Amino acid sequence: MNIRIGQGLDVHAFTPGDHVMLGGVRISHHRGVAGHSDGDVVLHALCDALLGALALGDIGMHFPPGDEQWRDADSRDLLRRVVALLVERGWRIGNVDLTVACEEPRLSPHVPAMRKVIAEILEISEGHVSVKATTTEQLGFCGRGEGIAAMAVALIHTG
Ligand SMILES: Nc1ccn([C@@H]2O[C@H](COP(=O)(O)O)[C@@H](O)[C@H]2O)c(=O)n1
Ligand SMILES: C[C@@]1(CO)OP(=O)(O)OP(=O)(O)OC[C@H]1O
């Protein structure tokens, strides 16, 4: 059995709006998130972690922000496409561990729904999908409420 790991990081700025998409879940909020797609930092970081494990570049290389095809894209669809790249090369996903940093919205009530969505797309059990949230103690761009960051680690294997 071959094993590989990958990591990903994504950041998006808050904009005027009434919801954010995080981990494939729509969360009502008094602001939105800027992006060419739906701006789901969690799924983007996860795409980059999986692409990193495959050494296949990054999300922007596969779904260029200048390409109208990806305008307002549903990031769940982008993640499905990345999973297909992985499966067609003979890899499977072991587990993923995700951390989201923002002062608000409060994410813990939404973590179970995020784990469910992600597990379904990755075709692994929810027990193999970890989603964690943290503030940055009011420090930095997250702490000032300027944006949201997400980090992801993924383990993939053959056989
Ligand atoms: N947007 C967030 C941030 C944090 N949480 C939860 O609060 C706990 C404490 O956060 P600290 O930054 O003070 O460590 C953390 O463990 C998260 O469960 C949250 O739900 N939403
Ligand atoms: C997801 C893509 C799709 O065009 O656009 P954005 O929503 O701007 O997100 P980003 O994290 O900057 O990744 C780049 C793009 O692939």
Side-chain angles (χ1 to χ4, degrees), residues 47-48 51-52 56-63:
C47 284
D48 265 356
L51 290 169
L56 279 181
D58 63 40
I59 186 171
M61 295 176 184
H62 291 265
F63 315 112

Side-chain angles (χ1 to χ4, degrees), residues 63-85:
F63 315 112
D67 186 337
E68 283 304 305
Q69 184 182 353
W70 311 118
R71 182 176 295 283
D72 297 326
D74 181 334
S75 296
R76 292 170 295 190
D77 180 46
L78 304 184
L79 181 58
R80 283 187 198 102
R81 289 168 185 265
V82 170
V83 171
L85 290 176

Side-chain angles (χ1 to χ4, degrees), residues 1-4 86 90-95 155-159:
M1 181 170 74
N2 290 316
I3 297 176
R4 289 187 175 196
L86 186 141
W91 292 92
R92 293 160 60 183
I93 297 163
N95 71 296
L155 183 144
I156 65 171
H157 62 89
T158 57

Side-chain angles (χ1 to χ4, degrees), residues 42 96-100 110-111 114-115 118 129-133:
V42 178
V96 298
D97 185 17
L98 314 171
T99 303
V100 195
H110 304 284
V111 164
M114 291 188 214
R115 291 178 69 201
I118 293 166
V129 177
S130 161
V131 177
K132 311 188 299 295

Side-chain angles (χ1 to χ4, degrees), residues 102-108 133-135 137:
C102 58
E103 300 298 318
E104 57 175 21
R106 189 93 188 142
L107 296 181
S108 52
T134 185
T135 68
E137 301 291 345

